[in-house]
């Protein structure tokens, strides 16, 4: 692959839901390498910023401050060994950017909405402590009634955030593009057991069973989604500025990015196949013109310009077709490998559980 394709990823989540810490944890783990995949910032200074923030957390327990209205943009490149697979455009917004009104909020509100419409992958970040409370109320009510995340903490946010994903999906499909992949990222899963009253595994099973009510966008037709329980450490619910650094224990932080890339490459296969069909059709048309002109009496003499123009086009098309076929087989192979790295993660396509 010559220049890697660019993928846009957007995190949506209420203030304090754990977006920035997830991003820091993901970078710390993936920049050190996971199963041969490496994530780097394009700008080496940003690598220092991210590593400094991670060092503050792992050495002193200092957590990142809440984001301000100035979004923090990152350009990453994900590599398989030394081979760049994809460039990733990811922006860390404050949670309020998704919840304020455009007319009243700072400019990040408009920027986030515009960005969602061109996002290839969207992470719906749900605070695990809240999800746990919802699980407790689902269990208490005998799994009936509406399952909304704890009001005042997260309820309206989830509905609102999902609406943005729905709008983004519509914007993309109206342009003939695939829907963005969706990661239902349950953050702070170390708190799930505490707030749900059942074990983490049981709580996650309740989430999976009730996903159509908790995060219904993940189960609609046309959407491919993954539920990903993430934790940065068993920090408890205490002071959010400072946590116990010895409790640091990142879990599942690389899965969302691997899933986004898998989906991006899989969708790319359909687009490549379409381009291949188009190029093959043009090649046959040009070949037909050449053979027809050559077949005419004095063909090569009277039609030499047309013939040579078509032959040039045929050579260019053959080259492009060969490149496309190579890209398709490389990306197809990579998609299969990426999927194996996601083994065991719950993936839902068109409302159907895949694993
Ligand atoms: N127990 C626990 N707490 C966490 C975890 N991740 C984050 N937190 C806590 O949640 C707080 C908020 O996390 P952030 O990542 O800053 O949240 P955010 O979504 O970026 O917030 P805004 O930038 O304000 O939108 C942190 O300061 C931590 O105290 C986790 O995995 N476990
Ligand atoms: Mg933040």
């Amino acid at each position: 692959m010559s220049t890697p394709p660019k993928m846009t990823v957007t995190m949506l989540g209420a203030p304090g839901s754990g977006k920035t810490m997830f991003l820091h944890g993901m970078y710390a783990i993936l920049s050190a390498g996971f199963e041969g995949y490496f994530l780097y910032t394009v700008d080496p200074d940003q690598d220092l910023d991210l590593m400094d923030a991670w060092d503050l957390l792992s050495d002193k327990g200092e957590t990142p401050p809440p984001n301000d209205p100035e979004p923090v943009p990152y350009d990453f490149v994900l590599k398989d060994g030394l081979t760049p697979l994809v460039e990733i455009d990811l922006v860390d917004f404050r949670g309020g950017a998704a919840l304020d009104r455009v007319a009243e909020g700072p400019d990040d509100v408009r920027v986030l909405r515009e960005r969602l419409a061109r996002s290839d992958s969207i992470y719906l970040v749900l605070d695990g402590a809240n999800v746990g409370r919802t699980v407790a109320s689902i269990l208490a009510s005998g799994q009936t009634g509406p399952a909304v995340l704890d009001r005042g903490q997260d309820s309206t946010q989830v509905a609102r955030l999902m609406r943005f994903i729905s709008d983004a999906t519509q914007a993309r499909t109206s342009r003939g593009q695939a829907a963005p992949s969706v990661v239902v990222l349950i953050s702070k899963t170390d708190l799930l057991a505490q707030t749900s009253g059942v074990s983490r595994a049981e709580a996650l099973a309740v989430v999976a069973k009730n996903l159509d009510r908790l995060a219904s966008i993940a189960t609609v037709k046309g959407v491919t989604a993954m539920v990903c329980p993430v934790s940065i450490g068993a920090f408890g619910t205490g002071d959010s500025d400072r946590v116990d650094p010895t409790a640091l224990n990142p879990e599942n932080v690389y899965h969302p990015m691997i899933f986004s890339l898998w989906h991006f490459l899989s969708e790319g296969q359909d687009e490549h196949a379409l381009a291949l069909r188009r190029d093959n059709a043009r090649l046959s048309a040009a070949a037909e013109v050449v053979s027809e002109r050559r077949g005419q009496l004095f063909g090569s003499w009277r039609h030499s310009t047309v013939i040579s123009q078509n032959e040039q086009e045929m050579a260019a098309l053959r080259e492009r077709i060969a490149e496309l076929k190579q890209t398709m087989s490389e990306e197809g192979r990579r998609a299969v490998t990426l999927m194996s790295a996601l083994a065991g993660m719950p993936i839902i396509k068109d409302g159907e559980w895949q694993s």
Side-chain angles (χ1 to χ4, degrees):
M1 250 179 286
S2 37
T3 31
K6 201 158 193 153
M7 176 168 87
T8 303
V9 178
T10 302
M11 298 188 291
L12 275 179
S17 54
K19 300 180 290 300
T20 304
M21 286 228 330
F22 157 70
L23 175 63
H24 291 179
M26 173 190 74
Y27 190 73
I29 299 294
L30 271 176
S31 64
F34 161 75
E35 292 196 0
Y37 295 105
F38 295 87
L39 186 73
Y40 298 119
T41 58
V42 173
D43 175 359
D45 285 356
Q46 274 205 325
D47 174 78
L48 289 178
D49 293 345
L50 284 167
M51 291 325 274
D52 283 353
W54 188 249
D55 286 346
L56 276 177
L57 179 68
S58 49
D59 295 344
K60 300 187 185 142
E62 269 182 45
T63 60
N67 282 75
D68 61 30
E70 192 60 51
V72 187
Y74 293 96
D75 274 321
F76 295 113
V77 56
L78 187 68
K79 294 187 177 179
D80 179 358
L82 297 174
T83 313
L85 296 183
V86 67
E87 280 189 27
I88 299 152
D89 164 354
L90 192 150
V91 178
D92 190 15
F93 289 92
R94 71 188 170 102
L99 305 170
D100 289 351
R101 287 183 169 82
V102 166
E104 293 162 7
D107 203 37
D108 62 345
V109 181
R110 187 189 53 74
V111 174
L112 173 61
R113 289 200 200 169
E114 175 274 324
R115 187 185 163 78
L116 278 167
R118 57 183 173 80
S119 292
D120 300 296
S121 194
I122 300 178
Y123 299 175
L124 177 65
V125 182
L126 305 180
D127 188 320
N130 272 328
V131 173
R133 284 184 204 105
T134 309
V135 167
S137 75
I138 290 176
L139 291 173
S141 66
Q143 312 218 356
T144 55
V148 282
L149 292 185
D150 204 56
R151 165 105 199 147
Q153 312 263 354
D154 222 335
S155 72
T156 49
Q157 280 91 331
V158 172
R160 196 163 165 75
L161 300 178
M162 285 200 298
R163 183 240 146 100
F164 285 128
I165 302 179
S166 171
D167 288 352
T169 302
Q170 210 177 330
R172 282 177 67 95
T173 43
S174 70
R175 291 197 300 263
Q177 293 172 310
S181 59
V182 174
V183 176
V184 179
L185 194 159
I186 303 174
S187 65
K188 313 182 191 178
T189 41
D190 49 291
L191 298 173
L192 260 182
Q194 188 182 325
T195 56
S196 66
V198 292
S199 73
R200 190 192 304 204
E202 281 172 273
L204 287 171
V206 173
V207 170
K209 199 167 170 205
N210 293 275
L211 197 66
D212 55 340
R213 297 190 294 152
L214 281 162
S216 52
I217 195 75
T219 63
V220 302
K221 199 161 166 42
V223 168
T224 304
M226 180 176 79
V227 180
C228 189
V230 166
S231 175
I232 304 302
F235 302 135
T237 48
D239 187 358
S240 66
D241 302 348
R242 199 165 277 274
V243 292
D244 174 7
T246 62
L248 192 74
N249 179 27
E251 287 179 69
N252 291 350
V253 284
Y254 50 81
H255 289 99
M257 203 41 93
I258 300 288
F259 171 73
S260 301
L261 177 58
W262 164 76
H263 184 262
F264 185 72
L265 294 183
S266 307
E267 289 300 328
Q269 291 290 71
D270 294 345
E271 277 169 37
H272 296 327
L274 198 70
L276 197 61
R277 274 202 298 278
R278 242 186 347 243
D279 282 355
N280 273 322
R282 283 173 60 188
L283 184 63
S284 319
E288 207 170 301
V289 171
V290 169
S291 89
E292 190 217 330
R293 298 287 164 114
R294 277 203 201 288
Q296 285 177 10
L297 203 53
F298 306 118
S300 33
W301 171 68
R302 277 182 48 219
H303 303 294
S304 60
T305 322
V306 179
I307 289 173
S308 87
Q309 273 171 350
N310 276 279
E311 279 177 341
Q312 274 172 24
E313 193 190 346
M314 283 165 68
L317 281 166
R318 283 202 185 98
E319 203 173 311
R320 219 171 50 207
I321 287 170
E323 270 173 30
L324 257 174
K325 281 186 174 163
Q326 197 188 338
T327 306
M328 278 179 83
S329 84
E330 277 175 23
E331 291 188 357
R333 253 198 323 270
R334 287 198 198 290
V336 171
T337 323
L338 287 163
M339 190 28 106
S340 66
L342 293 171
M345 296 302 285
I347 292 174
I348 313 115
K349 192 169 187 214
D350 295 321
E352 302 281 334
W353 292 88
Q354 305 293 298
S355 50

